């Protein structure tokens, strides 16, 4: 079961998350930053609830009213050209 | 499953699929046909193609997962533009679609991250230690 | 500068746009999907009265109204950032920047994953993916499949796949892990199953439904759950079996299933291999809030609404001046509720832009009453405590606006 991938984008496994939590006695936020779980191409849209659940299980931190890992723009991958103001680039 | 069987031509509630213009496109050099109104993903699946790319680092096969643009698993290169979601992109006649490939990862260390030097001083120390180790051998 | 930008052309976004256009507001609706309708497009189920709820027809009806009112709907436009300015909002998209006085975020929901080992293989998809492929694109997702996750959404979509002539082996739980916890717990799943019993012509489930309020009956039902499953439309539903692993090299070829205890623990020695060419993962829905988050909207965590939802009141206003929300971003409910909420949001926006306050105010009251009625009459209820959840968010709104 530890080999099961949780974050598809970064191929972070359940084992990676558990080991990181244990090794660094880390908070939910720190685990995400260390493993990159939920921080790949999709911005965590697919695995965010799953990652949050594992972290809750490991750290015992209950979800608060704040979204666990702050959502940062851009919320979709965009090319530098788009950020630079060019349109119709797809 | 043949092309015909993949298409839901008749549906007991939604009715018969309306007639649609046929469009020709290529995926990794092979020519396929789809319908106007298809996305790249639906046209490929209708042709029995499930694998759209490989994980850039590990090379594991990937196909559509969410089909509505959230997961980005179906990203392909379309007419030279990379990172295009096959599930959100309407099929156009003459489209050239290619799957993603494994890419080099020069920044990934084979070593445990804690072994890497954090400062220049540490780097010099580690290099000296490394050289000393080498001369011993 | 537009009067209002609406992000999301689903039932909430479209109905809001219609209301705004009725008051002649300058509206732009954007959506990243190639056609408008959102997740309403894929919906197809029979109501308890026997009538079909056909999402394509419902979408067409909304679109017809929107088109008659010359509504500017732009598909294939994806928003990636929102900035609040002194007099409105700046929306950054792949097609450039849009500016408006008011902003409605109606981005709906995303699917939570209930992962099982092997779920990255091509041929494994979310249950919603299969729905869109089947009903919108008219392509079968495979020859024979299995559905992982037993809940309201997966039961409804399983029926849709069957209607399209797709063979389903069964529907069962994901194997227990720290990620799948509640989806892998037979007793908890049974609680959800009895809420959809009225949709299923199954004596066993009707029995469960009749006694749904009595905990011990449900536990008994889990204890003595038939080994062959309970059939819904001829397809076995298992709450005492789980998918343990998905196999294949280039795509899905088979799954390993096993029996589980009433608490969801694997029963050793019960493994069985089932050949399938596709797997649908159904882990439920959660509100898709990221754009509200980058806009700076405060949130409230409410389990019965599906997770973090933007703080809002019954007029669909958020504590941020000029920012509105409607539809599943405010909590997971049926498309009918989303559509009704959209009308409220549209009218609230119209009221804040226009002068005809009295006239619109009356409309808002009616629209809010309509949301409550629609919620009460919903044949598909995603969570039993929805009313409490809504009340909690309303309280949070009062707190947030009082402290400002």
């Amino acid at each position: 079961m530890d080999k099961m991938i949780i974050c598809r984008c970064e191929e972070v496994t359940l084992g990676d998350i558990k080991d990181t939590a244990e090794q660094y006695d880390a908070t939910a936020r720190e685990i995400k930053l260390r493993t990159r779980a939920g921080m790949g191409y999709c911005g965590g849209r697919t695995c965010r609830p799953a990652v949050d659940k594992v972290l809750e299980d490991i750290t015992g931190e209950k979800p608060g009213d704040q979204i666990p890992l702050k959502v940062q723009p851009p919320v979709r991958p965009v090319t530098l050209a788009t950020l630079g103001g060019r349109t119709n680039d797809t | 499953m043949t092309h015909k069987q993949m298409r839901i031509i008749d549906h007991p509630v939604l009715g018969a699929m309306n007639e649609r213009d046929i469009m020709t496109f290529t995926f990794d050099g092979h020519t396929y046909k789809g319908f106007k109104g298809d996305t790249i993903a639906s046209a490929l699946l209708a042709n029995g193609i499930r694998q759209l790319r490989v994980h850039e680092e590990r090379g594991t096969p990937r196909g559509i997962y969410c089909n509505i643009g959230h997961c980005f698993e179906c990203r392909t290169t379309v007419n030279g533009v990379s990172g295009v979601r096959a599930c959100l992109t309407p099929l156009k006649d003459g489209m050239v679609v290619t799957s993603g490939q494994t890419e080099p990862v020069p920044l990934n260390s084979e070593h445990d991250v804690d072994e890497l030097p954090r400062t220049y001083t540490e780097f010099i120390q580690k290099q000296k230690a490394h050289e000393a180790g080498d001369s011993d051998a | 500068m537009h009067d209002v930008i609406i992000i999301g052309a689903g039932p909430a976004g479209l109905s809001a746009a219609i209301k705004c256009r009725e008051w002649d507001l300058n509206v732009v609706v954007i959506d990243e999907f190639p056609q408008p309708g959102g997740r309403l497009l894929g919906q197809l189920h029979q109501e308890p009265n026997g009538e079909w709820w056909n999402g394509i027809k419902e979408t067409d009806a909304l679109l017809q109204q929107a088109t008659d009112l010359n509504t500017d709907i732009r598909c294939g436009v994806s928003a990636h950032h929102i900035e609040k300015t002194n007099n409105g909002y700046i929306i950054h998209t792949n097609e450039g920047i849009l500016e408006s006085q008011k902003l409605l975020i109606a981005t709906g929901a995303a699917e939570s994953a209930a992962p099982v080992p092997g779920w990255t293989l091509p041929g494994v998809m979310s249950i919603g993916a299969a729905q869109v492929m089947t009903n919108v694109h008219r392509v079968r997702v495979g020859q024979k499949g299995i559905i992982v996750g037993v809940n309201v959404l997966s039961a409804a979509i399983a029926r849709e796949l069957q209607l399209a002539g797709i063979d389903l082996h069964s529907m069962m739980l994901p194997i227990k892990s720290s990620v799948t916890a509640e989806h892998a717990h037979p007793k908890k799943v049974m609680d959800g199953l009895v809420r959809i019993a009225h949709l299923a012509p199954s004596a066993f489930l009707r029995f469960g439904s009749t006694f749904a309020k009595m905990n011990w009956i449900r536990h008994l039902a889990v204890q003595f759950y038939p080994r062959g499953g309970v059939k819904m439309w001829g397809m076995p539903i298992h709450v005492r079996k789980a998918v343990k692993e998905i196999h294949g090299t280039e795509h899905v070829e088979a799954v390993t299933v096993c029996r589980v205890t009433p608490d969801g623990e694997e029963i050793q020695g019960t493994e069985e291999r089932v050949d399938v060419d596709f797997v649908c993962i159904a882990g439920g829905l959660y509100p898709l809030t990221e754009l509200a988050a980058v806009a700076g909207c405060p949130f409230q965590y409410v389990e019965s609404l599906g997770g973090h939802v933007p703080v809002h009141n019954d007029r669909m206003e958020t504590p941020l001046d000029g920012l509105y929300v409607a539809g599943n971003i405010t909590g997971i409910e049926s498309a009918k509720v989303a559509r009704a909420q959209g009308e409220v949001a549209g009218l609230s926006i119209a009221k804040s832009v226009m002068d005809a306050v009295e006239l619109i105010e009356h409309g808002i009251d009616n629209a809010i009453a309509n949301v409550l009625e629609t919620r009460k009459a919903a044949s598909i209820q995603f969570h039993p405590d929805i009313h409490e959840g809504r009340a909690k968010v309303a309280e949070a709104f009062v707190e947030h606006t009082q402290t400002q």
Side-chain angles (χ1 to χ4, degrees):
Chain A
M1 188 57 73
D2 277 357
K3 285 186 187 156
M4 177 169 76
I5 288 168
I6 300 292
C7 167
R8 300 170 63 106
C9 296
E10 298 286 318
E11 291 215 341
V12 182
T13 65
L14 187 56
D16 292 334
I17 296 175
K18 281 184 180 167
D19 292 349
T20 306
E22 223 162 85
Q23 193 181 345
Y24 298 97
D25 190 24
T27 62
R29 180 184 153 75
E30 197 184 341
I31 293 168
K32 283 193 189 181
L33 294 171
R34 282 190 182 275
T35 60
R36 289 197 54 76
M39 300 183 71
Y41 215 101
C42 86
R45 209 165 294 112
T46 311
C47 69
R48 187 184 272 270
V51 170
D52 288 345
K53 236 175 256 174
V54 185
L55 297 180
E56 188 186 325
D57 204 48
I58 294 171
T59 62
E61 294 171 31
K62 286 271 168 204
D65 289 333
Q66 291 298 315
I67 292 177
L69 193 68
K70 197 168 171 255
V71 180
Q72 303 279 8
V75 300
R76 300 278 187 284
V78 289
T79 61
L80 287 171
T82 302
L83 283 180
R86 208 187 82 191
T87 60
N88 296 318
D89 65 335
T90 48
Chain B
M1 212 183 249
T2 67
H3 189 148
K4 242 183 188 166
Q5 287 169 318
M6 292 294 279
R7 285 285 175 186
I8 302 158
I9 306 293
D10 294 304
H11 191 289
V13 185
L14 297 174
M17 198 170 119
N18 50 9
E19 211 160 296
R20 301 179 186 183
D21 293 344
I22 291 175
M23 301 191 153
T24 306
F25 67 105
T26 67
F27 180 66
D28 286 345
H30 298 279
T31 304
Y32 298 99
K33 284 185 166 61
F35 289 122
K36 188 174 183 202
D38 263 330
T39 58
I40 294 171
S42 71
L44 283 170
L45 185 61
N47 281 284
I49 292 164
R50 296 177 162 237
Q51 183 179 325
L52 302 181
R53 52 176 268 272
V54 291
H55 189 265
E56 288 76 1
E57 201 174 319
R58 315 276 168 98
T60 50
R62 297 298 169 88
I64 60 156
Y65 178 71
C66 82
N67 202 23
I68 56 167
H70 291 165
C71 75
F72 288 81
E73 285 283 25
C74 66
R75 56 188 189 262
T76 51
T77 299
V78 179
N79 297 338
V81 179
S82 65
V84 177
R85 288 170 280 182
C87 74
L88 286 189
T89 310
L91 185 69
K92 288 193 185 123
D93 208 30
M95 252 180 180
V96 178
V97 185
T98 50
S99 60
Q101 289 168 354
T102 318
E103 284 168 9
V105 277
L107 293 176
N108 255 33
S109 169
E110 290 294 299
H111 303 284
D112 192 306
V113 81
D114 287 335
E115 289 172 20
L116 292 171
R118 280 172 299 181
T119 60
Y120 185 68
T121 320
E122 271 188 26
F123 169 72
I124 298 294
Q125 281 169 352
K126 278 190 191 253
Q127 203 175 32
K128 276 184 183 158
H130 185 68
E131 277 164 10
D134 277 350
S135 59
D136 283 351
Chain C
M1 171 84 103
H2 303 280
D3 290 331
V4 52
I5 302 287
I6 298 175
I7 306 179
L14 287 177
S15 68
I18 291 165
K19 288 295 158 200
C20 288
R21 284 300 302 143
E22 281 175 358
W23 288 96
D24 207 28
L25 265 51
N26 175 341
V27 184
V28 176
V29 186
I30 61 169
D31 196 297
E32 63 179 349
F33 202 68
Q35 47 178 311
R39 300 287 60 79
L40 177 58
L41 280 174
Q43 292 181 9
L44 186 66
H45 62 257
Q46 213 163 4
E47 300 279 358
N49 65 9
E51 273 174 35
W52 283 93
W53 171 260
N54 179 342
I56 293 175
K57 277 193 183 158
E58 296 296 335
T59 304
D60 284 346
L62 284 170
L63 274 180
Q64 189 60 53
Q65 289 182 63
T67 312
D68 289 347
L69 292 160
N70 296 316
T71 311
D72 186 351
I73 303 172
R74 303 178 191 174
C75 288
V77 180
S78 177
H80 61 260
H81 187 29
I82 290 168
E83 283 174 272
K84 191 177 181 335
T85 62
N86 286 335
N87 52 357
Y89 291 89
I90 298 174
I91 297 98
H92 296 254
T93 81
N94 61 321
E95 298 281 331
I97 279 170
L98 292 165
E99 282 184 74
S100 68
Q101 201 186 330
K102 311 285 173 191
L103 173 63
L104 170 62
I105 306 182
T107 43
E111 286 189 64
S112 303
V116 290
W119 73 303
T120 55
L121 276 169
V124 182
M125 67 198 81
S126 76
I127 190 84
Q131 180 184 48
V132 172
M133 206 47 107
T134 305
N135 294 343
V136 182
H137 301 310
R138 302 284 289 256
V139 179
R140 289 192 179 92
V141 286
Q143 232 162 2
K144 185 173 191 174
I146 193 163
I147 293 176
V148 183
V150 177
N151 52 49
V152 175
L153 188 68
S154 65
I157 299 177
R159 180 64 184 144
E160 295 172 17
L161 301 186
Q162 282 186 321
L163 283 172
I166 298 165
D167 189 9
L168 293 173
H169 172 271
S170 62
M171 213 163 120
M172 58 177 74
L173 311 183
I175 192 73
K176 196 174 188 177
S177 71
S178 47
V179 198
T180 55
E182 71 214 52
H183 299 290
H185 197 289
K187 282 176 189 159
K188 286 178 187 166
V189 170
M190 192 70 191
D191 293 352
L193 204 52
V194 294
R195 287 207 308 280
I196 50 169
H198 58 279
L199 296 177
S202 150
F204 186 88
L205 285 177
R206 273 205 303 275
F207 175 81
S209 169
T210 311
F211 297 101
K213 287 202 173 113
M214 298 164 77
N215 225 346
W216 65 275
I217 296 266
R218 287 205 305 276
H219 284 195
L220 219 68
V222 169
Q223 197 76 39
F224 296 104
Y225 201 85
R227 200 166 284 182
V230 171
K231 287 204 172 149
M232 206 187 239
W233 306 297
M235 174 195 60
I237 297 183
H238 295 282
V239 304
R240 292 285 304 278
K241 278 189 181 174
V243 173
K244 204 182 155 186
E245 194 169 355
I246 304 166
H247 310 281
T249 43
E250 286 172 357
H251 51 80
V252 176
E253 291 161 22
V255 291
T256 298
V257 307
C258 64
R259 283 169 43 214
V260 296
T261 67
D263 291 320
E265 299 299 335
E266 180 183 351
I267 299 173
Q268 297 300 321
T270 60
E271 284 185 358
E272 192 187 332
R273 192 182 155 98
V274 178
D275 289 335
V276 289
D277 68 348
F278 75 94
V279 177
C280 292
I281 306 248
L285 299 166
Y286 74 95
L288 190 56
T289 57
E290 52 208 2
L291 286 171
V294 294
C297 186
F299 282 85
Q300 183 82 6
Y301 181 82
V302 186
E303 209 188 330
S304 63
L305 298 180
H308 288 93
V309 295
V311 170
H312 63 279
N313 63 7
D314 60 358
R315 295 168 164 257
M316 301 294 139
E317 297 163 333
T318 71
L320 292 192
D321 189 32
L323 181 71
Y324 299 76
V325 286
N328 268 354
I329 188 177
T330 72
I332 306 305
E333 288 194 78
S334 75
K336 286 181 186 173
V337 174
R339 188 174 58 185
Q341 286 178 321
E343 289 185 4
V344 176
L347 289 170
S348 288
I349 292 167
K351 189 192 156 190
S352 67
V353 176
M354 306 285 297
D355 292 327
V357 174
E358 293 274 315
L359 210 56
I360 305 181
E361 188 60 38
H362 182 62
I364 295 176
D365 289 342
N366 287 343
I368 291 173
N370 185 37
V371 170
L372 299 176
E373 269 167 43
T374 309
R375 179 169 296 140
K376 227 184 256 174
S379 60
I380 291 184
Q381 197 189 30
F382 286 87
H383 203 286
D385 303 324
I386 196 93
H387 297 278
E388 286 163 48
R390 292 280 173 201
K392 198 178 159 194
V393 175
E395 275 168 39
F397 181 85
V398 173
E399 277 169 33
H400 273 278
T401 41
Q402 273 169 354
T403 53
Q404 271 179 359

